[in-house]
Structures are given as C-alpha cells and as structure tokens.
Amino acid sequence: MTWHILGAGSLGSLWAARLARAELPVRLILRDRARLKAYEAAGGLTLVEQGQARQYTIPAVLPSTAGPIGRLLLACKAYDAEAAVQPLLPYLAPGAELILLQNGLGSQDAVSLRLPHTRCVLASSTEGAFREADFRVVFAGHGFTWLGDPLQPAPPDWLSDLERAGIPHGWTPDILSRLWRKLALNCAINPLTVLHDCRNGGLANHPAEVSVLCAELVELLQHCGQPDAAEGLHEEVLRVIQATAANYSSMYQDVANGRRTEISYLLGHACATATRHRLKLPHLESLHTRLRAHLEQRGLPVT
Ligand code: NAD
Ligand code: KPL
C-alpha cells in the first residue's frame, strides 16, 4: 500500500526518503499548486546524511488529487495537524490508517475527533532532522520512534515496511505514557532555555528552578493517570541536560529563528490539564505566563 506523507518538512522527508529507497511506494501531499511547482523545480527531495546528499524523485500530489488514501503519515507541526487533515477527509479510503507524528499532546485528540472511524496511530520520536533549504533535509541525529494506538493494542502489519526502510521503531501498548514523558522533559527544559537564553547545559546553573518544575510535573502526571511517565523524571531531566549540554533546545531554536513554537501542545497542554484536574501548579503556571510574555515581546504567537 502507498505511503502518503503530508508534511515534506524535516521528519516527513526523513521518513519519505528512507521508505522510497527501500522501494516502497511513497507519495508526498503538498499544500498547494505553488508548493507543487517549487517541488517539481527542485526535482525531488534531497536527504543529507553524514555530509552526503542524495535526491529522491518521490511523486507529489495536491490534497484534491491524492485519493484514495489508505495510509497517511501526518508529519506537520502540532498546530497545523487538524487543519492539514481537513482537506484529505473526502479522500480517505474505508479502513484508512493515520500515523500522527507530532510532538506534545492535544493535536492527536483534535485530529482523532475529526476521524472517529479511522485508526490513528500515535508516534513519539527522538530522531533529529532539520531543513537546510526547501525540499532539502539534513539527518542530524539518530534516534528512535515509539508507535502505539491507545484504542487498539494490536500492532499494524505495516511495521514491516519501517523495518525494511531501516526506520528504528518500537510498538508500545502505552504510547500516551511515552508522549507524556517527552512532554514533561520538554516542559522542564525547553522554556527555561528560552527564558535564560542558554544552551541545555546552562540549566545546570538553575538547579532549584528545574527541581521545582519537575516536582510539579510529577504531581501532574500522577494526577492524570500517568504514574509511569512520572517515574524518575527529575533524574532523567538532569541526565538530558548533561547529555545535551552543548545543544540548543528545539524551542530555543524556534524562538531564535522567529518561528512559531508548539507551546500550546507542551507547557500549554500541561497547564490546561492541571486546571481540568483542579490542580494548583504555581511554578508551571508562572513559567507559562513568562514564556507567553517573552513570545509576545518577539511578535511570536503565544498559542
Ligand atoms: P517541519 O516544520 O520541518 O515540517 C512540517 C511540514 O509540514 C512543513 O514542510 C510544512 O510546510 C508542512 N505542512 C504544514 N501544514 C501543511 C498542510 N496543510 N499541507 C501540507 N503540508 C503542510 O516540522 P518537523 O520538524 O518535521 O516536525 C514535525 C513534528 O515532529 C513536530 O511536532 C515536531 O515537534 C516533531 N519532531 C521533530 C523533530 C525534528 O528533529 N525535526 C524531532 C522530534 C519530533
Ligand atoms: O527534546 C528536546 C528538545 O529540544 O525539544 C530536549 C532538549 C532533548 C528535551 O527537552
């Protein structure tokens, strides 16, 4: 079955290139005619790995000419996911499956609600890629992608395609726990790197702030039925700060480059969940307020 991939950005291109070179059928879905023309002019997708660039001439279509779609990888930012899937709804084949490759939480529910009869597999990835130019992506960091379906524990048969394409992955019956854990790590690290204008390692100078945020995140995870995601969170946050000391967090890079952040699906989602559970988490709330003010000052969206 053809892999339709919406979002020819960093992760979407990384998946598309690896699936295509394993000779699996892949089709990119681009936003509009202008993007399609630009893609055709570029001559395909280029993936740069260990300094070596290789171009893949993967066919691309518009939403209106994509159908019928049996399998769709949605590889856009969390804030684009719901709108991106909308024009594809009439073209989804009966029994179609979606793979939602968004960081954070909230966008997956928004998409699933629009597709009550379609299986939505959720993904959480630690692979790293960035766009060097339009339709040219650099594979920057090896990682792993967890996949799972909170409603249906049986793994789909297309995992063998990922195996064949060399995409490191695992199937988990508890994908929500993985997504919450990553969200918590992102909440404890990313906003502070933005507000303190530092690399991840710079947070070693703010141990009390990190510690109090971790304590509140643990409380939140325990309250919202994710005790496994809370286990050893503070220790892992300290480990990540140390292991990625020289890196700038993804949110830091977004802000530095004047790009919209996924704040609503990370810290915003954590704070909204706390409110729903009538839980007072003053440090997380204050962090959210300070981060929004910081984004506003820079003319960036606060959601
Ligand atoms: P990206 O911005 O590089 O790519 C997203 C692509 O989606 C863009 O090309 C954009 O034009 C396209 N898009 C958006 N709306 C569209 C629409 N309506 N129709 C067609 N195309 C549309 O984003 P990314 O870095 O690949 O991130 C995707 C998700 O993966 C995010 O949630 C991100 O946090 C997460 N993630 C990224 C990385 C990474 O290294 N890049 C690592 C882990 C997780
Ligand atoms: O995932 C990350 C990011 O930069 O988004 C790290 C810094 C590793 C954890 O928050």
Side-chain angles (χ1 to χ4, degrees):
M1 186 185 289
T2 298
W3 281 84
H4 282 90
I5 299 186
L6 184 143
S10 312
L11 286 195
S13 300
L14 187 57
W15 277 55
R18 289 178 294 183
L19 290 164
R21 77 174 166 219
E23 297 182 354
L24 290 157
V26 182
R27 197 161 287 176
L28 300 171
I29 303 177
L30 301 179
R31 193 192 296 267
D32 53 30
R33 280 188 194 289
R35 287 289 288 165
L36 189 57
K37 234 174 129 184
Y39 179 73
E40 282 162 2
L45 264 189
T46 300
L47 180 66
V48 183
E49 281 174 284
Q50 292 162 345
Q52 299 288 318
R54 180 172 159 195
Q55 196 177 50
Y56 300 85
T57 48
I58 298 167
V61 293
L62 296 176
S64 57
T65 55
I69 300 169
R71 186 181 303 138
L72 173 69
L73 173 71
L74 193 65
C76 57
K77 289 284 170 60
Y79 48 75
D80 281 329
E82 195 182 352
V85 94
Q86 181 65 30
L88 299 175
L89 299 185
Y91 307 106
L92 293 177
E97 292 184 76
L98 261 70
I99 299 114
L100 307 181
L101 190 48
Q102 279 68 49
N103 204 12
L105 279 160
S107 67
Q108 299 88 345
D109 278 351
V111 169
S112 309
L113 277 173
R114 288 195 176 265
L115 296 158
H117 307 298
T118 302
R119 187 180 197 190
C120 288
V121 168
L122 317 188
S124 177
S125 183
T126 58
E127 292 201 295
F130 64 89
R131 277 188 285 175
E132 202 173 48
D134 245 9
F135 307 115
R136 185 178 170 99
V137 165
V138 178
F139 190 1
H142 289 273
F144 194 83
T145 302
W146 282 108
L147 298 152
D149 176 353
L151 302 177
Q152 229 179 293
D157 56 9
W158 47 258
L159 292 184
S160 57
D161 282 6
L162 305 190
E163 202 66 50
R164 181 167 150 189
I167 297 174
H169 68 281
W171 180 259
T172 169
D174 208 358
I175 188 66
L176 287 178
S177 175
R178 301 268 172 196
L179 283 159
W180 268 111
R181 178 63 163 216
K182 182 139 193 273
L183 181 150
L185 282 166
N186 285 168
C187 286
I189 297 175
N190 300 10
L192 287 180
T193 63
V194 172
L195 295 171
H196 290 300
D197 189 13
C198 67
R199 294 174 197 262
N200 295 349
L203 298 187
N205 299 322
H206 304 278
E209 225 176 341
V210 171
S211 163
V212 82
L213 286 175
C214 287
E216 288 192 355
L217 285 161
V218 164
E219 208 182 328
L220 173 65
L221 293 168
Q222 282 165 346
H223 261 80
C224 67
Q226 297 295 338
D228 290 350
E231 196 61 41
L233 178 68
H234 189 206
E235 291 73 17
E236 191 178 353
V237 165
L238 296 180
R239 262 200 313 277
V240 171
I241 287 173
Q242 203 175 31
T244 63
N247 299 354
Y248 286 109
S249 75
S250 55
M251 187 179 273
Y252 182 101
Q253 292 180 46
D254 284 342
V255 175
N257 290 301
R259 291 191 299 250
R260 183 174 175 184
T261 67
E262 294 181 301
I263 177 175
S264 291
Y265 303 88
L266 299 167
L267 193 50
H269 186 82
C271 289
T273 307
T275 304
R276 237 187 8 262
H277 286 264
R278 298 176 195 279
L279 200 58
K280 289 256 174 293
L281 300 175
H283 294 91
L284 269 184
E285 282 295 347
S286 151
L287 184 68
H288 193 204
T289 306
R290 283 154 57 210
L291 182 62
R292 279 185 302 184
H294 186 93
L295 297 176
E296 200 163 20
Q297 265 174 20
R298 277 148 192 81
L300 291 171
V302 298
T303 57

